[in-house]
Amino acid sequence: MKISVLRERRAGETRVAATPETVKKLVASGHSVTIESGAGTVAGFPDDSFSDAGATLAPDAAAAAKGADIVFKVRAPEAGEMDALPEGVALIALMDPTNLDAAPLNAKKVASLSMEFTPRITRAQSMDALSSQSNLSGYRSVIEGAQIYGRAMPMMMTAAGTIAPAKVFIMGVGVAGLQAIATARRLGAVVTATDVRPAAKEQVASLGAKFIAVEDEEFKAAETAGGYAKQMSPEYQAKQAELTASHITKQDIVITTALIPGRAAPVLVTEEMVKTMKPGSVIVDMAVSQGGNCPLSKPDEIVDVNGVKVAGFSNLPARLPADASSLFAKNLLAFLPLVTAEDGSLNLDTDDEIVTAMLLTRNGETVNERIQS
């Protein structure tokens, strides 16, 4: 089949949905690959690296997508990008499905598949783009927090005196949170972490951090079958907030990662809590794109609250474009065989549970019940 890779046009998006490594493997599998010129430049993949790998270069999105069976993108196309998509083409990207306006896709009968809806099952682990990108986000959140903090992270004993290690508090111990813990520990910080899922306690301890949570009966049942955190009761949230408030005043860097798919991010750090923190402290709100875990955070801004810096980064993987692109491209490469027929053509007529979970729109209709209104 013909696979087209388009340049990302969304502000701040530096990633690309293919790399020379994955292009080489796609071509070796019998597919043809067309890359829009400049698609990988910001991520460190110049046009000639793609052509050397066997791809054809096209001058613009329309030329790249012409005749395509499937289009790879990092993010869902915005209004101005829809014109480039051929009618009936298959599109796979991070579609932001819970906020998706499916009408433009259905108008062109686009068969869209969302990488966010990859099921959390063993067979799909190599395709799990949320995990691959969250891993990098967790790492980068600590690097950004350390840079804003502006002081040393590890303890340093010098002839001029001792520098105390930074205290880092990770709120939310999913994929991003675990990587944030590991990174902060590697940098020498004293790390504590919290989560509403009981399984997180052991994971936190295994990384050398201390677990902080209200461990009552509700806490013991606070995880969905898919491994996500459940929405907690107001009573539990109040108890956890009280514990958090007393702990957060002593912290130098707080990183919040809590997200619930399809819902606004829960508030974990209130304005009152921020005001109890020491001047020079930092909050990195990784959930800012869904409303934020701190109501003071603003997307892609650093807000100063009495000397406390509240940083909201809406696209942390884009701050590591080469690695983020590499992992995302490999996620796509792992998924492609599920929609490839024996003769190498595109085949969406399958009852494979991974494909059906990811398919959003097809033949002019919204087919995924999770986004049907």
Side-chain angles (χ1 to χ4, degrees):
M1 72 182 87
K2 178 182 177 180
I3 299 168
S4 296
V5 180
L6 305 187
R7 179 171 60 84
E8 300 299 317
R9 288 165 170 78
R10 193 173 301 226
E13 186 53 75
T14 61
R15 294 171 288 178
V16 61
T19 65
E21 178 186 357
T22 60
V23 166
K24 189 176 294 185
K25 291 178 179 179
L26 290 168
V27 172
S29 297
H31 305 296
S32 65
V33 181
T34 301
I35 307 281
E36 182 183 357
S37 181
T41 302
V42 179
F45 305 114
D47 286 350
D48 58 4
S49 69
F50 285 115
S51 57
D52 290 346
T56 300
L57 296 174
D60 53 43
K66 185 177 181 180
D69 297 295
I70 188 166
V71 169
F72 286 171
K73 284 187 91 280
V74 176
R75 306 286 288 274
E78 296 183 296
E81 298 177 88
M82 285 299 301
D83 291 342
L85 298 183
E87 185 165 332
V89 75
L91 167 70
I92 181 165
L94 292 166
M95 297 293 295
D96 191 14
T98 56
N99 297 309
L100 179 69
D101 177 8
L105 296 168
N106 287 332
K108 300 195 78 168
K109 297 183 179 180
V110 172
S112 61
L113 297 108
S114 174
M115 292 298 283
E116 292 97 328
F117 278 178
T118 305
R120 285 196 161 181
I121 58 176
T122 301
R123 190 165 61 90
Q125 285 182 343
S126 62
M127 312 164 199
D128 188 353
L130 278 185
S131 291
S132 73
Q133 302 303 293
S134 292
N135 224 314
L136 292 170
S137 294
Y139 164 80
R140 189 69 190 191
S141 69
V142 176
I143 302 302
E144 296 288 350
Q147 190 276 327
I148 298 167
Y149 181 51
R151 300 184 184 182
M153 294 288 279
M155 174 182 283
M156 293 186 180
M157 301 181 71
T158 75
T162 300
I163 297 174
K167 295 178 180 177
V168 178
F169 184 34
I170 312 297
M171 304 185 72
V173 188
V175 174
L178 288 170
Q179 186 57 246
I181 292 170
T183 303
R185 287 279 296 156
R186 284 195 292 267
L187 290 176
V190 174
V191 184
T192 53
T194 188
D195 197 284
V196 298
R197 297 172 299 115
K201 182 177 182 179
E202 185 176 338
Q203 294 170 334
V204 168
S206 71
L207 292 171
K210 182 180 179 181
F211 190 68
I212 306 290
V214 176
E215 299 184 43
D216 61 9
E217 290 303 314
E218 184 175 358
F219 170 80
K220 295 175 183 177
E223 187 170 351
T224 68
Y228 293 101
K230 287 183 179 179
Q231 180 74 39
M232 304 301 282
S233 70
E235 292 76 19
Y236 182 90
Q237 290 179 26
K239 289 187 287 185
Q240 181 70 4
E242 184 178 351
L243 177 63
T244 300
S246 63
H247 185 68
I248 211 169
T249 61
K250 309 165 190 173
Q251 304 306 302
D252 299 308
I253 299 174
V254 176
I255 296 173
T256 68
T257 75
L259 286 172
I260 300 171
R263 299 188 184 182
V267 174
L268 302 182
V269 182
T270 65
E271 183 175 350
E272 291 73 22
M273 292 179 192
V274 176
K275 290 179 179 178
T276 69
M277 296 177 70
K278 299 170 293 185
S281 302
V282 177
I283 297 171
V284 178
D285 190 345
M286 292 179 62
V288 70
S289 61
Q290 285 185 226
N293 296 140
C294 177
L296 298 176
S297 64
K298 295 181 180 180
D300 302 310
E301 292 186 26
I302 298 176
V303 180
D304 190 310
V305 184
N306 300 325
V308 177
K309 302 294 196 302
V310 183
F313 297 105
S314 61
N315 191 354
L316 281 163
R319 292 173 178 261
L320 295 162
D323 288 332
S325 298
S326 178
L327 294 182
F328 184 71
K330 288 177 181 177
N331 293 143
L332 292 172
L333 184 67
F335 171 75
L336 189 63
L338 300 186
V339 292
T340 304
E342 290 186 7
D343 63 358
S345 62
L346 178 67
N347 176 31
L348 292 175
D349 295 316
T350 173
D351 58 2
D352 188 289
E353 62 181 316
I354 297 174
V355 178
T356 55
M358 294 170 63
L359 191 62
L360 304 182
T361 62
R362 192 182 183 197
N363 297 327
E365 297 181 359
T366 301
V367 296
N368 195 303
E369 61 182 18
R370 294 174 66 180
I371 64 169
Q372 288 172 336
S373 56

